[in-house]
Amino acid sequence: NAGVTQTPKFQVLKTGQSMTLQCAQDMNHNSMYWYRQDPGMGLRLIYYSASEGTTDKGEVPNGYNVSRLNKREFSLRLESAAPSQTSVYFCAGERYGGNNEQFFGPGTRLTVL
Amino acid sequence: GDSVTQMEGPVTLSEEAFLTINCTYTATGYPSLFWYVQYPGEGLQLLLKATKADDKGSNKGFEATYRKETTSFHLEKGSVQVSDSAVYFCALTNDYKLSFGAGTTVTVRA
């Protein structure tokens, strides 16, 4: 089992460019999440998908869109990147949803110039 | 809304020292509480968890007890090793949403 995988690992964008961060899991997770990690702020929830076919906003959704393509895949899209979106992005999965352990991917380090 | 407050770092210790990282929370209902650890260059991984009041989570020599009366979940380890150097995050989940503390960087020196 690969667990939770993310691509790419690193990315540099110019302001205004778009890109999609990919996340896939082979752990049969029902729920999936996208977080951003910034120094001194812990992780903040961007969007989540409680189950296949549903998505909901988290704490910091502005400037992002998501797609739960199927049970395994949950992508995060930046339509017009801004320097404020420079961060490390983590995808996570949770098998039963709600109040259980989340399993994290290795992260994508994004720099927007 | 829900929130987690944890001790600010960085914390620097010598090997075999006692480690405590304080964590308090604010939440409605009955959240589950977690400690996650992030080693350099890696994602987060679960260290331990507790799902109800008075539960004690433990793993790799670390312990934390869910104290509802003081809304706390302090992390402790009796004798740290260099390999425990990492960033530690206290977190809670409540209705699909995981709320994190800011993280505490711990460095253990040989």
Side-chain angles (χ1 to χ4, degrees), chain B residues 49-67:
Chain B
K49 70 177 182 181
T51 58
K52 61 183 187 296
D54 299 325
D55 267 3
K56 177 185 282 188
S58 61
N59 186 27
K60 299 182 180 179
F62 290 89
E63 292 184 340
T65 300
Y66 191 144
R67 301 286 189 198

PDB file of all heavy atoms in Angstrom, chain B residues 49-67:
ATOM      1  N   LYS B  49      -3.599   9.217  20.499  1.00  0.00           N
ATOM      2  CA  LYS B  49      -4.918   9.833  20.491  1.00  0.00           C
ATOM      3  C   LYS B  49      -5.721   9.408  21.713  1.00  0.00           C
ATOM      4  O   LYS B  49      -5.392   8.420  22.376  1.00  0.00           O
ATOM      5  CB  LYS B  49      -5.678   9.456  19.232  1.00  0.00           C
ATOM      6  CG  LYS B  49      -6.107   7.993  19.173  1.00  0.00           C
ATOM      7  CD  LYS B  49      -6.929   7.729  17.910  1.00  0.00           C
ATOM      8  CE  LYS B  49      -7.408   6.288  17.857  1.00  0.00           C
ATOM      9  NZ  LYS B  49      -8.183   6.011  16.610  1.00  0.00           N
ATOM     10  N   ALA B  50      -6.779  10.173  21.990  1.00  0.00           N
ATOM     11  CA  ALA B  50      -7.729   9.837  23.051  1.00  0.00           C
ATOM     12  C   ALA B  50      -9.099  10.298  22.597  1.00  0.00           C
ATOM     13  O   ALA B  50      -9.242  11.404  22.076  1.00  0.00           O
ATOM     14  CB  ALA B  50      -7.346  10.496  24.369  1.00  0.00           C
ATOM     15  N   THR B  51     -10.083   9.468  22.773  1.00  0.00           N
ATOM     16  CA  THR B  51     -11.395   9.768  22.203  1.00  0.00           C
ATOM     17  C   THR B  51     -12.440  10.196  23.224  1.00  0.00           C
ATOM     18  O   THR B  51     -13.515  10.667  22.837  1.00  0.00           O
ATOM     19  CB  THR B  51     -11.931   8.565  21.424  1.00  0.00           C
ATOM     20  OG1 THR B  51     -11.989   7.447  22.317  1.00  0.00           O
ATOM     21  CG2 THR B  51     -11.031   8.232  20.256  1.00  0.00           C
ATOM     22  N   LYS B  52     -12.150  10.046  24.516  1.00  0.00           N
ATOM     23  CA  LYS B  52     -13.118  10.495  25.518  1.00  0.00           C
ATOM     24  C   LYS B  52     -12.391  10.878  26.796  1.00  0.00           C
ATOM     25  O   LYS B  52     -11.218  10.544  26.998  1.00  0.00           O
ATOM     26  CB  LYS B  52     -14.160   9.420  25.798  1.00  0.00           C
ATOM     27  CG  LYS B  52     -13.621   8.127  26.347  1.00  0.00           C
ATOM     28  CD  LYS B  52     -14.734   7.114  26.505  1.00  0.00           C
ATOM     29  CE  LYS B  52     -14.260   5.864  27.210  1.00  0.00           C
ATOM     30  NZ  LYS B  52     -13.247   5.131  26.442  1.00  0.00           N
ATOM     31  N   ALA B  53     -13.116  11.565  27.641  1.00  0.00           N
ATOM     32  CA  ALA B  53     -12.540  12.083  28.880  1.00  0.00           C
ATOM     33  C   ALA B  53     -11.895  10.970  29.702  1.00  0.00           C
ATOM     34  O   ALA B  53     -12.424   9.853  29.793  1.00  0.00           O
ATOM     35  CB  ALA B  53     -13.622  12.776  29.692  1.00  0.00           C
ATOM     36  N   ASP B  54     -10.733  11.287  30.268  1.00  0.00           N
ATOM     37  CA  ASP B  54      -9.924  10.423  31.125  1.00  0.00           C
ATOM     38  C   ASP B  54      -9.183   9.326  30.359  1.00  0.00           C
ATOM     39  O   ASP B  54      -8.428   8.566  30.960  1.00  0.00           O
ATOM     40  CB  ASP B  54     -10.751   9.793  32.241  1.00  0.00           C
ATOM     41  CG  ASP B  54     -11.366  10.841  33.155  1.00  0.00           C
ATOM     42  OD1 ASP B  54     -10.711  11.874  33.388  1.00  0.00           O
ATOM     43  OD2 ASP B  54     -12.511  10.652  33.598  1.00  0.00           O
ATOM     44  N   ASP B  55      -9.371   9.237  29.053  1.00  0.00           N
ATOM     45  CA  ASP B  55      -8.579   8.307  28.251  1.00  0.00           C
ATOM     46  C   ASP B  55      -7.127   8.749  28.267  1.00  0.00           C
ATOM     47  O   ASP B  55      -6.833   9.937  28.207  1.00  0.00           O
ATOM     48  CB  ASP B  55      -9.061   8.315  26.796  1.00  0.00           C
ATOM     49  CG  ASP B  55     -10.093   7.251  26.523  1.00  0.00           C
ATOM     50  OD1 ASP B  55     -10.479   6.534  27.465  1.00  0.00           O
ATOM     51  OD2 ASP B  55     -10.503   7.142  25.356  1.00  0.00           O
ATOM     52  N   LYS B  56      -6.229   7.784  28.293  1.00  0.00           N
ATOM     53  CA  LYS B  56      -4.806   8.077  28.160  1.00  0.00           C
ATOM     54  C   LYS B  56      -4.322   7.464  26.862  1.00  0.00           C
ATOM     55  O   LYS B  56      -4.459   6.260  26.649  1.00  0.00           O
ATOM     56  CB  LYS B  56      -4.007   7.515  29.328  1.00  0.00           C
ATOM     57  CG  LYS B  56      -2.499   7.735  29.188  1.00  0.00           C
ATOM     58  CD  LYS B  56      -1.702   7.067  30.296  1.00  0.00           C
ATOM     59  CE  LYS B  56      -1.761   7.852  31.573  1.00  0.00           C
ATOM     60  NZ  LYS B  56      -0.838   7.315  32.610  1.00  0.00           N
ATOM     61  N   GLY B  57      -3.746   8.306  26.003  1.00  0.00           N
ATOM     62  CA  GLY B  57      -3.104   7.795  24.806  1.00  0.00           C
ATOM     63  C   GLY B  57      -1.616   7.621  25.060  1.00  0.00           C
ATOM     64  O   GLY B  57      -1.013   8.407  25.803  1.00  0.00           O
ATOM     65  N   SER B  58      -1.019   6.593  24.450  1.00  0.00           N
ATOM     66  CA  SER B  58       0.411   6.384  24.644  1.00  0.00           C
ATOM     67  C   SER B  58       1.016   5.713  23.424  1.00  0.00           C
ATOM     68  O   SER B  58       0.359   4.912  22.739  1.00  0.00           O
ATOM     69  CB  SER B  58       0.671   5.538  25.895  1.00  0.00           C
ATOM     70  OG  SER B  58       0.065   4.269  25.763  1.00  0.00           O
ATOM     71  N   ASN B  59       2.278   6.053  23.169  1.00  0.00           N
ATOM     72  CA  ASN B  59       2.984   5.482  22.031  1.00  0.00           C
ATOM     73  C   ASN B  59       4.438   5.923  22.101  1.00  0.00           C
ATOM     74  O   ASN B  59       4.722   7.092  22.393  1.00  0.00           O
ATOM     75  CB  ASN B  59       2.356   5.943  20.705  1.00  0.00           C
ATOM     76  CG  ASN B  59       2.966   5.267  19.498  1.00  0.00           C
ATOM     77  OD1 ASN B  59       3.464   4.157  19.576  1.00  0.00           O
ATOM     78  ND2 ASN B  59       2.902   5.935  18.367  1.00  0.00           N
ATOM     79  N   LYS B  60       5.349   5.030  21.848  1.00  0.00           N
ATOM     80  CA  LYS B  60       6.785   5.334  21.777  1.00  0.00           C
ATOM     81  C   LYS B  60       7.287   6.039  23.030  1.00  0.00           C
ATOM     82  O   LYS B  60       8.208   6.865  22.954  1.00  0.00           O
ATOM     83  CB  LYS B  60       7.091   6.202  20.551  1.00  0.00           C
ATOM     84  CG  LYS B  60       6.745   5.546  19.223  1.00  0.00           C
ATOM     85  CD  LYS B  60       7.128   6.449  18.062  1.00  0.00           C
ATOM     86  CE  LYS B  60       6.777   5.797  16.742  1.00  0.00           C
ATOM     87  NZ  LYS B  60       7.117   6.676  15.592  1.00  0.00           N
ATOM     88  N   GLY B  61       6.709   5.764  24.173  1.00  0.00           N
ATOM     89  CA  GLY B  61       7.129   6.387  25.420  1.00  0.00           C
ATOM     90  C   GLY B  61       6.447   7.703  25.721  1.00  0.00           C
ATOM     91  O   GLY B  61       6.621   8.271  26.790  1.00  0.00           O
ATOM     92  N   PHE B  62       5.669   8.214  24.786  1.00  0.00           N
ATOM     93  CA  PHE B  62       4.898   9.437  24.977  1.00  0.00           C
ATOM     94  C   PHE B  62       3.525   9.102  25.577  1.00  0.00           C
ATOM     95  O   PHE B  62       2.950   8.063  25.268  1.00  0.00           O
ATOM     96  CB  PHE B  62       4.689  10.176  23.653  1.00  0.00           C
ATOM     97  CG  PHE B  62       5.929  10.785  23.082  1.00  0.00           C
ATOM     98  CD1 PHE B  62       6.749  10.057  22.226  1.00  0.00           C
ATOM     99  CD2 PHE B  62       6.283  12.089  23.379  1.00  0.00           C
ATOM    100  CE1 PHE B  62       7.893  10.610  21.689  1.00  0.00           C
ATOM    101  CE2 PHE B  62       7.424  12.657  22.844  1.00  0.00           C
ATOM    102  CZ  PHE B  62       8.230  11.918  21.999  1.00  0.00           C
ATOM    103  N   GLU B  63       3.020  10.016  26.390  1.00  0.00           N
ATOM    104  CA  GLU B  63       1.694   9.843  26.975  1.00  0.00           C
ATOM    105  C   GLU B  63       0.962  11.176  27.004  1.00  0.00           C
ATOM    106  O   GLU B  63       1.586  12.228  27.109  1.00  0.00           O
ATOM    107  CB  GLU B  63       1.798   9.333  28.425  1.00  0.00           C
ATOM    108  CG  GLU B  63       2.325   7.941  28.575  1.00  0.00           C
ATOM    109  CD  GLU B  63       2.306   7.506  30.035  1.00  0.00           C
ATOM    110  OE1 GLU B  63       2.245   8.381  30.916  1.00  0.00           O
ATOM    111  OE2 GLU B  63       2.354   6.288  30.273  1.00  0.00           O
ATOM    112  N   ALA B  64      -0.376  11.103  26.947  1.00  0.00           N
ATOM    113  CA  ALA B  64      -1.204  12.284  27.137  1.00  0.00           C
ATOM    114  C   ALA B  64      -2.561  11.830  27.632  1.00  0.00           C
ATOM    115  O   ALA B  64      -3.079  10.812  27.167  1.00  0.00           O
ATOM    116  CB  ALA B  64      -1.354  13.075  25.840  1.00  0.00           C
ATOM    117  N   THR B  65      -3.141  12.567  28.569  1.00  0.00           N
ATOM    118  CA  THR B  65      -4.430  12.208  29.147  1.00  0.00           C
ATOM    119  C   THR B  65      -5.462  13.275  28.818  1.00  0.00           C
ATOM    120  O   THR B  65      -5.207  14.473  28.985  1.00  0.00           O
ATOM    121  CB  THR B  65      -4.326  12.046  30.669  1.00  0.00           C
ATOM    122  OG1 THR B  65      -3.376  11.022  30.961  1.00  0.00           O
ATOM    123  CG2 THR B  65      -5.676  11.655  31.262  1.00  0.00           C
ATOM    124  N   TYR B  66      -6.615  12.850  28.354  1.00  0.00           N
ATOM    125  CA  TYR B  66      -7.746  13.714  27.988  1.00  0.00           C
ATOM    126  C   TYR B  66      -8.393  14.209  29.271  1.00  0.00           C
ATOM    127  O   TYR B  66      -9.078  13.458  29.961  1.00  0.00           O
ATOM    128  CB  TYR B  66      -8.721  12.887  27.162  1.00  0.00           C
ATOM    129  CG  TYR B  66      -9.848  13.598  26.455  1.00  0.00           C
ATOM    130  CD1 TYR B  66     -10.254  13.155  25.209  1.00  0.00           C
ATOM    131  CD2 TYR B  66     -10.552  14.636  27.034  1.00  0.00           C
ATOM    132  CE1 TYR B  66     -11.320  13.744  24.543  1.00  0.00           C
ATOM    133  CE2 TYR B  66     -11.601  15.230  26.381  1.00  0.00           C
ATOM    134  CZ  TYR B  66     -11.997  14.777  25.135  1.00  0.00           C
ATOM    135  OH  TYR B  66     -13.044  15.359  24.484  1.00  0.00           O
ATOM    136  N   ARG B  67      -8.196  15.480  29.595  1.00  0.00           N
ATOM    137  CA  ARG B  67      -8.747  16.071  30.824  1.00  0.00           C
ATOM    138  C   ARG B  67      -9.852  17.042  30.452  1.00  0.00           C
ATOM    139  O   ARG B  67      -9.596  18.177  30.027  1.00  0.00           O
ATOM    140  CB  ARG B  67      -7.648  16.820  31.596  1.00  0.00           C
ATOM    141  CG  ARG B  67      -6.468  15.974  32.002  1.00  0.00           C
ATOM    142  CD  ARG B  67      -6.804  15.049  33.134  1.00  0.00           C
ATOM    143  NE  ARG B  67      -5.605  14.375  33.657  1.00  0.00           N
ATOM    144  CZ  ARG B  67      -5.657  13.284  34.397  1.00  0.00           C
ATOM    145  NH1 ARG B  67      -6.824  12.716  34.686  1.00  0.00           N
ATOM    146  NH2 ARG B  67      -4.536  12.746  34.851  1.00  0.00           N
TER     147      ARG B  67
END
